[in-house]
Amino acid sequence: MQPLPVCRRRFALLACLTACAWPFTASAAGPADIGGTWLTDDAASKVEVVITKSADGSSQLSGKVVWLKEPTRDGKPLADLKNEDAALRGRPIMGLPILSGFKPGAGGHWVGGTVYAPRAGKSYPAELSLAADGRLQLKVNAGLLSKTDYWTR
């Protein structure tokens, strides 16, 4: 068996190093990787996720509705009609903040925040992270029940 030429040996070494390092780069993805616009799991809306820095240097994540598949009903913009607070029921869904209070946690997760569900008119505690396939994973807790949704870019 003949030895590989230098360029092939370098390529083989590079391929090996890349394969070995890939799992570590995927798990070390920072929390900032989830900023951007995401299509919700039901494809009914898009949410713009923004990461901001506070004066103390800490990061916070928030998100608002920036697109609706059906933005109007009976010729009027969709409103937050099911909100538990009657004073907020006239707010339009377009531009409505639905992700708030998230802070960076361990392993690239965003924790301590809430997801507002306009269809239910309620906010739920949640945790956000990037799934292995690049989708945004939302683990939402509603009392004893929990639900995981996946949003795509």
Side-chain angles (χ1 to χ4, degrees):
M1 188 175 201
Q2 294 182 351
L4 290 172
V6 173
C7 64
R8 283 190 142 176
R9 279 185 283 182
R10 286 183 183 156
F11 178 77
L13 178 62
L14 179 62
C16 181
L17 289 174
T18 302
C20 291
W22 179 76
F24 299 107
T25 57
S27 65
D33 295 332
I34 65 175
T37 303
W38 296 90
L39 180 66
T40 57
D41 62 332
D42 61 1
S45 61
K46 289 183 181 179
V47 176
E48 181 181 19
V49 174
V50 178
I51 299 159
T52 57
K53 292 272 187 192
S54 299
D56 65 359
S58 64
S59 297
Q60 287 196 356
L61 179 143
S62 61
K64 67 179 180 178
V65 176
V66 294
W67 176 85
L68 292 167
K69 185 175 185 178
E70 297 178 19
T72 60
R73 182 172 292 136
D74 299 326
K76 297 179 183 177
L78 285 182
D80 190 14
L81 298 176
K82 294 188 178 181
N83 196 303
E84 291 179 328
D85 183 346
L88 300 176
R89 292 184 185 152
R91 299 187 300 179
I93 299 294
M94 186 68 75
L96 186 69
I98 64 166
L99 301 175
S100 60
F102 289 93
K103 298 186 186 306
H109 292 253
W110 287 87
V111 297
T114 58
V115 174
Y116 177 70
R119 289 183 184 151
K122 297 181 180 183
S123 292
Y124 302 98
E127 179 179 302
L128 309 176
S129 62
L130 273 182
D133 62 3
R135 294 181 298 166
L136 178 59
Q137 179 177 315
L138 294 87
K139 291 183 181 178
V140 182
N141 299 311
L144 297 174
L145 303 173
S146 66
K147 179 183 178 189
T148 301
D149 284 341
Y150 293 92
W151 296 357
T152 55
R153 289 197 196 257

